[in-house]
Amino acid sequence: MSKGVITITDAEFETEVLTADLPVLVYFWASWCGPCQLMSPLINLAATKYSDRLKVVKMEIDPNPLTVKQYQVEGVPALRLIKGEEILVSFEGVIGKDKLLSLLDPHLNSN
């Protein structure tokens, strides 16, 4: 099981996200996006903290227009928490650690 953030493309989206056993946090970013660089450590933290309950992938928006359009990503950084075909969380903009964890926790608590 991977503990890190996996970089994916449009072509890999279905395999890596839609058919995954775990909920998947998709992090949309761009190389030219300053705020995205602030979010990267948080995305890595989520991948580590929830490694047993969450898969984390990142997708650069410019080379992957199909997924960006399908998930209506209008600004970066953007997050989508997806389980199967369902979007559990949709968020755009920079957030802090507490906010990120509060978005994820309700969907990941394994009781």
Side-chain angles (χ1 to χ4, degrees):
M1 175 179 277
S2 172
K3 296 228 184 281
V5 178
I6 305 163
T7 301
I8 65 167
T9 63
D10 277 344
E12 299 161 311
F13 191 84
E14 182 174 355
T15 310
E16 293 290 341
V17 178
L18 300 180
T19 61
D21 296 331
L22 297 171
V24 182
L25 179 65
V26 184
Y27 168 53
F28 293 95
W29 67 286
S31 55
W32 44 262
C33 164
C36 294
Q37 292 163 9
L38 298 173
M39 285 289 291
S40 280
L42 273 184
I43 301 305
N44 293 330
L45 171 86
T48 305
K49 178 176 171 63
Y50 297 113
S51 61
D52 57 334
R53 293 174 275 164
L54 177 70
K55 180 175 183 177
V56 181
V57 300
K58 69 179 194 174
M59 176 175 271
E60 191 172 359
I61 60 165
D62 294 325
N64 299 294
L66 298 176
T67 306
V68 167
K69 184 175 182 199
Q70 182 178 353
Y71 286 88
Q72 300 173 340
V73 176
E74 294 176 5
V76 285
L79 300 172
R80 301 289 186 271
L81 181 62
I82 299 168
K83 175 77 170 128
E85 301 276 336
E86 184 184 359
I87 300 173
L88 304 175
V89 172
S90 178
F91 193 88
E92 299 192 9
V94 175
I95 53 175
K97 176 182 173 184
D98 292 345
K99 176 70 174 170
L100 176 63
L101 300 183
S102 74
L103 287 173
L104 297 177
D105 276 338
H107 303 286
L108 302 177
N109 283 337
S110 53
N111 295 331

